[in-house]
Amino acid sequence: LLDSLLQELCLGVCLIGTVLSYPFPYPQAPAGPGGPGPLPIPGADGYGKQDGYFQYINVPALKTYEWGYRRGNPDHNREEYLSQKDHTFKAKLKWEDAYGGHGEHYYDYNHSGPVYEEPPKYGAPPPPPAYGPA
């Protein structure tokens, strides 16, 4: 009797844990000037304060996306942008600070296309060494 009761208790705890692990609907942010939802909706003045700092992501189609941001302040800021469309990848990173430090990196990978070309085969192996063990 005790063994059966213990099995039922363990089964009940597992069942409750399984049910509680499923996602619950989370209430969205209250409807404000941009509308319902946690993301700001641009108005006549666009996003935010228009101070030159931003963050965004755009996924217009399958295998196509872009995202970027500019963060910081006038004394130290960083800007990054990435985009991918099919086999093409582009990235840009820029930064600067009030001490005159600055830098830029640009990457542009254009793959040749969906056709895979086999790499060249290795040649014959070298002959074994002529010396033997000492």
Side-chain angles (χ1 to χ4, degrees), residues 2 16-17 20 22 43 45 62-63 78 82 90 117 132:
L2 184 60
I16 289 172
L20 291 177
Y22 285 108
D45 61 344
L62 183 67
K63 295 184 179 180
R78 175 176 162 167
L82 282 93
K90 295 179 183 178
E117 295 179 12

Side-chain angles (χ1 to χ4, degrees), residues 12-116:
V13 168
C14 289
L15 184 63
I16 289 172
T18 303
V19 168
L20 291 177
S21 69
Y22 285 108
F24 287 97
Y26 185 73
Q28 298 296 322
L39 298 176
I41 306 299
D45 61 344
Y47 287 100
K49 299 179 279 187
Q50 297 299 313
D51 57 357
Y53 302 103
F54 60 88
Q55 178 174 326
Y56 77 98
I57 187 168
N58 184 23
V59 184
L62 183 67
K63 295 184 179 180
T64 304
Y65 75 89
E66 63 180 6
W67 67 265
Y69 64 85
R70 182 179 173 131
R71 298 181 190 153
N73 56 47
D75 293 332
H76 184 234
N77 60 61
R78 175 176 162 167
E79 180 177 338
E80 187 170 359
Y81 168 81
L82 282 93
S83 71
Q84 180 176 355
K85 183 173 183 179
D86 295 323
H87 300 288
T88 302
F89 174 81
K90 295 179 183 178
K92 174 178 78 169
L93 174 64
K94 292 170 61 175
W95 71 93
E96 61 182 11
D97 61 25
Y99 301 108
H102 68 283
E104 298 183 18
H105 290 285
Y106 294 95
Y107 300 96
D108 189 358
Y109 298 106
N110 294 314
H111 297 284
S112 62
V115 178
Y116 176 73

